[in-house]
């Protein structure tokens, strides 16, 4: 096989592997649920000791570590390059750090994540099902601690890397190291349930029938042969509201141990629908979205499956560390609705609430921009010479990851574009923000042209001005 044919084979395998992986996840969760039913109804006449099974907490963590590695590979340019899309550090103190540090940290993150995943799997596999209450070995804790450190450092070097799946990875690892072993499943369950609750709350409002919810409804209706219903605006609004309330109910049900079984069914149904709507049969989103939803299809039944060895705890029995972790995983996402926490770390997924920053460049100035920016510039409107720059498409093309939906991050990109032009007044920026605390209401777009688009460090708590970048291609 020639080097060229080998490269083509690797590219084709990389394109199709996530889709096959999602199919395998659906198949595995079906087998997992079926095997559990068989164990409950089958009586064994012989006194044969049960085969060891992987503990729920260990299996959930192993699945999360596997998903983290897969998503790192699928978004590799985001972690190892700064010459395709400007990197906006979280702190200005690290703006001059060379890209070699990013690559070293990414390599260590991948290695320690893989080793920790194998170690956690083997720990749960070779012990009794109650091994979730046994502390991890010093070696496993060292690998998890190294992965947590590298993951946090990579986010400090570039806010763009604070993707929802990476934030969940950091959150779960921190809980694993901080919460006592016998109680660590409960904050995990609150974390997952909170994702559904806050994501649904962030979409409630007068515009609940807009954005991604509406697009998913359109795809599902067309797949089901109900496309004619989309002509009825009242049906579309009611259906979008029903979809949002169903997700909210899923999170609330998962908060109640007595209702875990229907809650698991509801959660799996949500992610199966998302796979159909966002996969190659529907909107054909990036493969990372498929891996994220495929992970939840398998992880939610694992985490919320009732076992005989589960220890019943009430909040009064929790240690102070468990109470602190549980409070954080619930309060921090809710604070995002008030504009305190960032949108993705507060689980505002597929939500119309986040700030919208739009960049426009005059048509006669496009030639001064890098080729990668020119490729995502649209045509001006009628009787207008302002060309929109699609930062979301630029991000997907350059990093294989969606753009970070924070105004400070996107304004830093706009600041960089202003500085690259000979005439800064030929750039226009508009910002559409939610009205806090009524996040479902929008403030009027604020227009800023030229040097007035430049923000200062005092405008935001974290960096919104400086970028780390080489000459863009």
């Amino acid at each position: 096989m020639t080097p060229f044919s080998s490269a083509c084979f690797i590219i084709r395998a990389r394109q199709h592997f996530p889709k096959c992986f999602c199919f395998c996840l659906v198949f595995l969760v079906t087998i997992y649920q079926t095997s559990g039913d068989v164990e409950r109804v089958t009586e064994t006449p012989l006194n044969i000791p049960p085969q060891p099974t992987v503990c729920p907490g260990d299996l959930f963590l192993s699945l999360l570590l596997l998903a983290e590695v897969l998503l790192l590979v699928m978004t590799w340019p985001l972690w190892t390059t700064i010459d395709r899309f400007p990197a906006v550090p979280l702190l200005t103190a690290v703006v001059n750090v060379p890209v070699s540090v990013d690559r070293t940290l990414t390599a260590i993150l991948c290695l320690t994540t893989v080793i920790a995943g194998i170690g956690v799997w083997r720990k749960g596999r070779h012990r009794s099902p109650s091994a979730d209450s046994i502390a991890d070995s010093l070696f496993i804790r060292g690998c998890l601690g190294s992965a947590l450190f590298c993951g946090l450092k990579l986010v400090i070097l570039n806010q763009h890397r604070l993707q929802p799946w990476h934030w969940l990875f950091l959150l779960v690892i921190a809980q694993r190291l901080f919460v006592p072993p016998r109680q660590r499943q409960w904050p995990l369950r609150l974390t997952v349930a909170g994702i559904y609750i806050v994501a649904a709350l962030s979409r409630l409002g007068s515009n609940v029938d807009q954005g991604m919810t509406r697009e998913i409804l359109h795809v599902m209706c067309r797949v089901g042969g109900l496309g004619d219903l989309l002509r009825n605006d009242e049906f579309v609004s009611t259906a979008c509201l029903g979809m949002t309330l169903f997700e909210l109910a899923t999170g609330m049900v998962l908060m109640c141990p007595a209702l875990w079984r229907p809650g698991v069914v509801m959660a799996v149904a949500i992610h199966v629908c998302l796979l159909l709507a966002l996969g190659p049969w529907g909107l054909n989103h990036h493969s990372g979205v498929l891996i994220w939803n495929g992970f939840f299809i398998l992880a939610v039944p694992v985490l919320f499956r009732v076992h005989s060895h589960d220890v019943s705890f009430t909040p009064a029995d929790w240690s102070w560390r468990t109470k602190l972790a549980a409070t954080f995983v619930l309060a921090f996402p809710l604070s995002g609705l008030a504009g305190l926490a960032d949108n993705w770390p507060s689980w505002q997924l597929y939500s119309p609430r986040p700030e919208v920053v739009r960049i426009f460049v005059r048509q006669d100035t496009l030639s001064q921009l890098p080729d990668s920016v020119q490729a995502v510039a649209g045509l001006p409107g009628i009787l207008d010479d302002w060309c929109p720059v699609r930062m979301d498409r630029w991000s997907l093309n350059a990093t294989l990851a969606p753009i970070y939906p924070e105004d400070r991050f996107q304004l830093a990109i706009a600041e960089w574009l202003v500085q690259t032009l000979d005439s800064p007044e030929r750039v226009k920026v508009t910002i559409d923000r939610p009205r806090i605390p009524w996040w479902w209401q929008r403030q009027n777009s604020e227009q800023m042209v030229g040097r007035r688009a430049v923000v200062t460090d005092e405008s935001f708590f974290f960096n919104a001005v400086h970028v780390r970048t080489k000459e863009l291609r």
Side-chain angles (χ1 to χ4, degrees), residues 198 202 330-348 353 355 406 434 436-437 439:
V198 182
S202 69
L330 292 178
F332 183 80
L334 291 174
S335 70
L337 299 178
L340 299 178
D342 283 6
N343 297 303
W344 273 352
S346 58
W347 308 127
Q348 297 180 44
R353 182 204 170 281
E355 302 83 356
E406 283 297 323
I436 303 299
W439 66 86

Side-chain angles (χ1 to χ4, degrees), residues 157-323:
L157 291 172
N158 188 1
Q159 303 175 41
H160 200 174
R161 295 164 180 160
L162 200 54
Q163 302 285 311
W165 48 270
H166 188 62
W167 171 247
L168 180 62
F169 167 79
L170 298 176
L171 203 57
V172 171
I173 296 299
Q175 293 179 40
R176 184 82 176 196
L177 297 174
F178 183 72
V179 177
R182 288 175 60 83
Q183 301 174 14
R184 59 191 174 201
Q185 285 196 46
W186 298 96
L188 283 179
R189 289 163 176 161
L190 292 177
T191 301
V192 174
I195 294 176
Y196 299 100
I197 293 174
V198 182
L201 288 176
S202 69
R203 293 198 295 272
L204 287 176
S206 58
N207 57 352
V208 68
D209 58 343
Q210 301 298 322
M212 187 57 64
T213 305
R214 189 185 187 98
E215 293 186 32
I216 293 173
L217 176 64
H218 278 225
V219 173
M220 298 306 297
C221 287
R222 292 194 182 98
V223 171
L226 304 174
D228 294 340
L229 294 176
L230 298 175
R231 302 174 183 175
N232 189 330
D233 293 338
E234 184 177 353
F235 165 79
V236 173
S237 299
T238 304
C240 289
L241 177 60
M243 293 167 61
T244 303
L245 292 178
F246 183 84
E247 184 174 7
L248 177 62
T250 300
M252 298 300 293
V253 168
L254 290 176
M255 298 278 282
C256 181
L259 300 176
W260 278 351
R261 184 174 296 277
V264 167
V265 174
M266 295 167 67
V268 170
I270 289 175
H271 293 289
V272 169
C273 291
L274 287 175
L275 276 180
L276 293 175
L278 305 179
W281 317 273
L283 298 175
N284 197 23
H285 276 203
H286 187 261
S287 301
V289 178
L290 306 183
I291 297 176
W292 167 264
N293 286 283
F295 160 74
F296 276 96
I297 288 177
L298 191 55
V300 171
V302 167
L303 187 60
F304 290 91
R305 187 177 183 181
V306 180
H307 292 262
S308 59
H309 64 272
D310 275 349
V311 181
S312 179
F313 285 105
T314 61
D317 300 325
W318 291 353
S319 68
W320 69 270
R321 289 185 292 174
T322 306
K323 293 178 181 178

Side-chain angles (χ1 to χ4, degrees), residues 69-81:
V69 174
L70 290 175
L71 288 165
L72 283 172
V73 172
M74 298 311 302
T75 58
W76 194 252
L78 174 63
W79 307 89
T80 58
T81 64

